[in-house]
Amino acid sequence: MRHFLSSVLFLTALISFSQSAGIIRGLITDEKGDPIQGVNVILKSDNRIGTISDIEGVFEVGLPVGPDILTFSHIQYATREVEVNVQAGQTQNLSVRLNPKNTQLDEVEVIGQQERDAIDPAAKIDATSARNLPSAGGDFSKVLVTLPGVAANNELSSAYNVRGGNFDENLIYVNDIPVYRPFLSTPGRQEGLSFVNTDLVKDISFYAGGWESKYGDKLSSSLNILYKEPEDYHGSINFGLLGGSAYVGNQVSDRFKYLFGARHSDTRYLLGTLETEGQYLPSYTDAQAFLTFDLSRKGQQVNRTKLNWLLAYGRNRYLTLPESQTTDFGSVSQALRVQTAFEGRELLNYDTYQTGLNLSHKWNNRFLSRLIASGVRTTEKEFYNVEGAYRICDVDNNPGSNSFNDCVVTRGIGTNFSYGRNTLNATILNLELRNELLASDWVLLEGGVGFNQNQMEDELNEYEYLDSAGFVINPNDPNSNILRSVFNELDLTTRVYTGYLQSTIFSKDSAHAVNIGGRINHMDFTGETLFSPRFIYRHKPNWERETSFRVSIGQYVQTPFYREFRDLDGNIRENVKAQRSVHFIAGMERTFIWWGRPFLLTTEGYYKRMSNIIPYDIDNVRLRYFAENNATAFAYGVDLRLNGEFIRGSQSWFSLGILNTMEDLEEDDKDYIRRPSDQRINLAFFFEDHMPNDPSLRVYVNSIFGSGYPLGPPNEINARNIFSGDEFFRVDIGFSKSLQLTKNKYLKVLWLRAEILNALGADNTLSYSWIQDISGSQLAIPNSLSARFLNFRIAADF
């Protein structure tokens, strides 16, 4: 109640700052006077305020009073800026005419973009929505979880799985440069933020399957991020209870642009809502720079030779001193409680350096080459030794009893001890050459070669025991209570050579498009050479409502990295081979008018047949592989997404994913069983609204529901994944108020923001710890995630 009252008082204060506003209504047409649908209308001083023209070319947007500039942009038309002077409480009419783009200077680049937009099965995400989405720590990956087919049940981690895959099966690129997440962290609270800095993002494309040959080799998904290339001086600073960030960008000259960003995350207040009480000292800091150079000679076309340079450093220092934990679980008829007292600490440190160069050169108006080179160096340490003395008891849940809510029967007393001294030093190098040739007005040829080298130095020294009898048994005894004990070193260097060739062909009326290609992959360590053919067909009939149909078929392979070489006991097995998956996808996109505003409905059905699979179990956010290609698997489902202006001038979307994924292990006595990532139903939505007469006062709602993941007792192969865990349900709400600082020389807009994280106080379960009581029964103890938390943030744009 106290948090709720605080939220109400804060909102009341925000409304008191509310400024009067006016309405701009208008019609957008082309040079022939025909209306243009889908034009982005954005307020230049605050790109979070805007709308999109409907099928009749009509738009309407509420703006704060005073002079400003509206920017009108469309992929097929030249961007235009119009000065407006908004009067309080008045509606002004505006007529805007846009001219077609002149694409002669950047013909190869523009046509290539048109091809991708026309045929690729990518989900587009508005970068502004990604920044506004309320979440714990403001991590970029949380916007992905609102898409169909993408699942995650941990608000403290950047890990996600797609259509029944796992966390390691996702490609991530920033301006075609591959980036990586930490390797050693086990609990999600140790990770820090994901690599992608939302302040720097310009465009987001996400492929949940069926992507083209040029986008690489992994089993599940590909995420392609474009960072901004600023045209003028601008930036932002924001800070709150869970950390802050700052960025600045500018075009210094016609030949140089820069973008710098820094973030700091400190989630100690949020971690204080966990069931485990103690001292939490998390600290994550990173800095990134994205530099753009025009290396063209004088007199040549702009950006004929262009260099993008990405530099990044991430520093994580995580320390926990756990003290105690009380967990209630069970059912109405049998209420149980576990009380644990801890002694010890958890420590995770990592320093990661990443850099990448993307050099592009236009040989002529039809031929473009790109040379992409990148490197990653990371040093990670995970040290922990935690002893927990626990007591399991039955709880009296009879409200009329004198012992109500007290322990009445003790089921077991014991000790759990975990010890680890793990280190990792990794160096990852990538080099790739890509070429694009516009063979004719309707044919685009693309091809390239690549090289990847991974050097991993990993030392694993950990053990864990569970003792309900008060003493430790010899670990060599098969009846020992020691759950895991391993000490070994891995010094592994692998090299992968790749190549691809593909062609995109359009019909002259653009109603039909075909992309056909293949990718070859050779890994020296395994000696495997694999070929992956891929095919995409798109049909766009000439209907009144823009509609397109798409079919894609292709093979996707994933060579072992380093974790796949370790089995469940931490032992190293070198005979691991690449995993394979064949994707069959059929989809449809259709635009329609609802409430006088445009909406887009996307539907996809898919089937994935997987072979040579390496089974795994999930330990929080760490994957523990069997280190054997001894399983086959499949996944099928349907994904639906509806996005548009549910509220005029605000982008929102609803997503639904239905999934079934199962696997068959050679070593168990069963047929197909559920995979660890089998989340049957995933429903999510992001909703944005604003006050009708004051668009500067906004509310954002991010909601996720997911059915339970499978689970089973440890070290019992035939009981693996036989139970279903609890559902995951979470609602995060954000409120913001923007204040136009027209008289301030340095700042343009001041933002005040309040976020209610886990607004409904859902008691979500991350994982389960298994304990055996005195009768020999296995009990699954739930480990809960964070509770409700009220976060405040202040931001300033300049």
Side-chain angles (χ1 to χ4, degrees):
M1 178 61 71
R2 188 187 314 164
H3 289 291
F4 177 76
L5 291 177
S6 299
S7 302
V8 172
L9 291 174
F10 180 75
L11 290 177
T12 304
L14 288 182
I15 295 173
S16 68
F17 284 108
S18 177
Q19 302 172 337
S20 299
I23 302 296
I24 299 292
R25 181 183 293 126
L27 174 66
I28 307 174
T29 59
D30 59 17
E31 75 280 3
K32 298 179 181 179
D34 296 327
I36 306 175
Q37 177 186 356
V39 177
N40 294 303
V41 183
I42 303 296
L43 188 66
K44 187 173 183 180
S45 65
D46 182 1
N47 59 13
R48 307 185 194 194
I49 298 177
T51 186
I52 300 175
S53 63
D54 61 22
I55 195 171
E56 304 295 336
V58 175
F59 71 94
E60 182 178 305
V61 60
L63 303 176
V65 297
D68 214 316
I69 296 176
L70 279 177
T71 302
F72 299 83
S73 62
H74 190 281
I75 189 173
Q76 297 177 355
Y77 297 88
T79 298
R80 182 178 175 184
E81 294 183 346
V82 177
E83 295 182 357
V84 295
N85 191 358
V86 182
Q87 304 297 323
Q90 296 185 10
T91 299
Q92 302 178 39
N93 294 316
L94 194 65
S95 179
V96 179
R97 176 169 293 183
L98 300 183
N99 297 318
K101 278 185 178 178
N102 181 1
T103 61
Q104 183 174 1
L105 289 180
D106 295 324
E107 183 173 353
V108 173
E109 187 171 356
V110 172
I111 289 178
Q113 182 63 45
Q114 291 174 343
E115 305 293 331
R116 288 192 287 272
D117 291 341
I119 197 168
D120 264 8
K124 295 290 185 178
I125 305 173
D126 182 64
T128 301
S129 298
R131 288 190 290 271
N132 290 335
L133 184 134
S135 64
D139 193 273
F140 169 82
S141 64
K142 299 312 171 190
V143 74
L144 299 178
V145 183
T146 65
L147 298 178
V150 184
N153 69 336
N154 188 346
E155 71 271 12
L156 303 175
S157 170
S158 62
Y160 59 91
N161 50 277
V162 180
R163 292 180 176 176
N166 66 41
F167 312 142
D168 291 342
E169 296 177 1
N170 307 307
L171 293 164
I172 303 177
Y173 296 99
V174 173
N175 290 74
D176 294 326
I177 299 168
V179 296
Y180 302 85
R181 58 186 289 264
F183 301 107
L184 277 187
S185 54
T186 301
R189 60 179 182 267
Q190 295 181 348
E191 279 190 33
L193 299 175
S194 66
F195 179 90
V196 179
N197 186 334
T198 55
D199 289 336
L200 312 185
V201 173
K202 173 186 176 183
D203 184 72
I204 306 166
S205 299
F206 180 73
Y207 303 82
W211 60 90
E212 300 175 27
S213 300
K214 63 182 175 182
Y215 286 133
D217 292 304
K218 285 267 177 125
L219 294 185
S220 292
S221 75
S222 176
L223 173 65
N224 298 343
I225 303 293
L226 286 181
Y227 273 5
K228 303 174 186 175
E229 294 183 9
E231 303 292 337
D232 54 17
Y233 178 76
H234 68 281
S236 178
I237 300 174
N238 89 82
F239 58 91
L241 297 180
L242 300 179
S245 66
Y247 86 96
V248 62
N250 192 18
Q251 179 173 346
V252 178
S253 66
D254 293 338
R255 293 183 172 272
F256 177 61
K257 304 175 183 179
Y258 68 83
L259 196 62
F260 295 106
R263 298 177 294 173
H264 178 74
S265 174
D266 187 337
T267 57
R268 70 182 68 188
Y269 298 120
L270 182 63
L271 297 180
T273 68
L274 298 175
E275 286 185 342
T276 302
E277 297 181 359
Q279 298 183 49
Y280 292 94
L281 302 173
S283 177
Y284 174 84
T285 305
D286 79 349
Q288 297 184 21
F290 186 68
L291 311 177
T292 302
F293 302 88
D294 184 355
L295 304 181
S296 308
R297 291 180 294 180
K298 290 185 179 181
Q300 292 182 335
Q301 68 183 68
V302 177
N303 286 330
R304 181 176 183 181
T305 303
K306 184 174 75 171
L307 175 66
N308 290 134
W309 187 9
L310 175 66
L311 301 104
Y313 167 68
R315 178 184 185 273
N316 189 28
R317 298 294 183 266
Y318 176 88
L319 174 64
T320 297
L321 304 173
E323 296 173 358
S324 63
Q325 177 178 338
T326 299
T327 303
D328 292 314
F329 64 106
S331 62
V332 175
S333 60
Q334 187 180 46
L336 302 173
R337 177 177 296 160
V338 174
Q339 297 171 312
T340 308
F342 295 103
E343 184 176 351
R345 68 175 189 168
E346 298 177 6
L347 174 68
L348 176 71
N349 293 347
Y350 71 73
D351 294 272
T352 302
Y353 304 84
Q354 302 193 49
T355 188
L357 297 171
N358 187 335
L359 176 65
S360 64
H361 179 71
K362 300 172 186 175
W363 301 95
N364 53 49
N365 285 339
R366 291 184 175 272
F367 186 36
L368 170 70
S369 295
R370 300 181 190 273
L371 180 64
I372 305 166
S374 64
V376 178
R377 175 64 181 176
T378 183
T379 301
E380 303 183 19
K381 296 180 180 180
E382 181 189 37
F383 293 173
Y384 61 88
N385 54 285
V386 178
E387 182 176 9
Y390 66 87
R391 175 196 181 199
I392 310 173
C393 65
D394 289 277
V395 179
D396 185 356
N397 59 358
N398 181 7
S401 172
N402 293 330
S403 59
F404 173 66
N405 203 34
D406 292 336
C407 286
V408 291
V409 177
T410 298
R411 283 176 167 259
I413 296 176
T415 300
N416 182 290
F417 184 79
S418 298
Y419 174 91
R421 293 292 185 271
N422 303 325
T423 60
L424 171 69
N425 295 299
T427 302
I428 303 171
L429 302 175
N430 291 281
L431 183 64
E432 185 176 15
L433 175 65
R434 296 183 181 181
N435 298 286
E436 300 179 17
L437 173 64
L438 190 64
S440 71
D441 292 341
W442 312 106
V443 179
L444 177 66
L445 300 176
E446 298 175 82
V449 293
F451 169 77
N452 163 256
Q453 176 176 292
N454 302 322
Q455 184 176 355
M456 318 297 293
E457 299 175 4
D458 181 29
E459 182 176 312
L460 191 65
N461 179 11
E462 60 184 26
Y463 66 86
E464 179 180 5
Y465 72 78
L466 178 67
D467 176 35
S468 298
F471 58 92
V472 182
I473 303 176
N474 186 343
N476 297 319
D477 185 344
N479 298 316
S480 170
N481 287 344
I482 290 189
L483 302 179
R484 299 182 70 252
S485 177
V486 58
F487 175 76
N488 57 43
E489 297 180 358
L490 174 66
D491 190 350
L492 177 68
T493 299
T494 62
R495 298 176 181 85
V496 180
Y497 305 87
T498 61
Y500 74 90
L501 183 65
Q502 67 178 48
S503 175
T504 304
I505 305 172
F506 273 78
S507 63
K508 291 188 177 181
D509 59 0
S510 295
H512 304 273
V514 174
N515 177 277
I516 186 169
R519 189 172 184 89
I520 194 168
N521 180 307
H522 175 77
M523 185 176 187
D524 63 350
F525 188 83
T526 63
E528 287 184 294
T529 300
L530 303 171
F531 176 69
S532 303
R534 300 175 190 177
F535 170 85
I536 304 173
Y537 168 72
R538 190 271 295 151
H539 175 52
K540 192 174 183 180
N542 187 23
W543 292 352
E544 180 180 357
R545 302 299 185 195
E546 185 174 334
T547 305
S548 65
F549 300 91
R550 184 180 290 107
V551 175
S552 60
I553 303 172
Q555 175 167 284
Y556 299 83
V557 301
Q558 182 165 329
T559 55
F561 187 47
Y562 94 97
R563 203 188 304 278
E564 291 93 324
F565 290 102
R566 288 193 182 276
D567 64 14
L568 293 175
D569 297 321
N571 300 314
I572 300 169
R573 301 187 181 183
E574 298 184 357
N575 59 344
V576 176
K577 303 294 184 181
Q579 304 177 82
R580 308 178 189 184
S581 177
V582 180
H583 295 192
F584 302 89
I585 301 173
M588 180 194 75
E589 290 185 352
R590 181 174 175 81
T591 60
F592 59 94
I593 302 301
W594 196 10
W595 301 323
R597 297 185 291 275
F599 285 81
L600 175 65
L601 174 65
T602 304
T603 305
E604 280 194 348
Y606 60 89
Y607 175 79
K608 299 196 294 186
R609 187 67 186 179
M610 293 163 273
S611 59
N612 237 30
I613 292 300
I614 307 172
Y616 62 91
D617 288 329
I618 301 177
D619 179 9
N620 204 309
V621 296
R622 177 181 290 184
L623 302 178
R624 298 196 181 276
Y625 289 93
F626 285 36
E628 290 184 87
N629 299 94
N630 63 345
T632 57
F634 66 83
Y636 62 84
V638 176
D639 289 342
L640 300 98
R641 184 186 184 214
L642 175 65
N643 64 293
E645 292 188 36
F646 290 89
I647 303 297
R648 188 179 295 275
S650 303
Q651 284 292 316
S652 305
W653 60 84
F654 290 79
S655 301
L656 173 64
I658 301 174
L659 165 73
N660 182 23
T661 181
M662 306 185 78
E663 63 186 7
D664 181 19
L665 276 69
E666 296 176 358
E667 62 185 80
D668 65 11
D669 299 329
K670 296 187 173 185
D671 197 6
Y672 280 91
I673 63 171
R674 297 177 65 187
R675 301 195 79 196
S677 56
D678 183 31
Q679 189 174 59
R680 297 293 171 89
I681 299 176
N682 190 301
L683 176 65
F685 68 83
F686 171 70
F687 185 78
E688 181 179 347
D689 195 2
H690 58 79
M691 294 289 288
N693 296 323
D694 186 5
S696 67
L697 185 58
R698 293 179 173 258
V699 60
Y700 312 92
V701 181
N702 173 31
S703 179
I704 300 171
F705 169 82
S707 58
Y709 287 105
L711 71 147
N715 304 322
E716 296 186 23
I717 189 68
N718 289 312
R720 184 170 173 263
N721 296 340
I722 61 173
F723 303 115
S724 183
D726 295 333
E727 295 83 4
F728 178 87
F729 178 59
R730 183 179 177 90
V731 177
D732 298 324
I733 303 176
F735 305 91
S736 70
K737 169 67 180 178
S738 63
L739 304 172
Q740 302 293 324
L741 305 178
T742 56
K743 297 182 179 180
N744 192 290
K745 183 178 180 180
Y746 302 101
L747 302 180
K748 296 179 180 178
V749 185
L750 180 67
W751 290 88
L752 305 176
R753 183 167 177 135
E755 296 176 335
I756 307 175
L757 306 178
N758 194 5
L760 301 183
D763 186 15
N764 291 311
T765 299
L766 170 62
S767 60
Y768 294 85
S769 300
W770 292 84
I771 295 179
Q772 185 173 340
D773 65 9
I774 55 177
S775 65
S777 300
Q778 291 267 22
L779 301 177
I781 314 300
N783 299 311
S784 297
L785 289 162
S786 60
R788 183 186 295 112
F789 182 79
L790 181 61
N791 183 35
F792 292 99
R793 290 167 52 190
I794 298 176
D797 297 339
F798 55 87

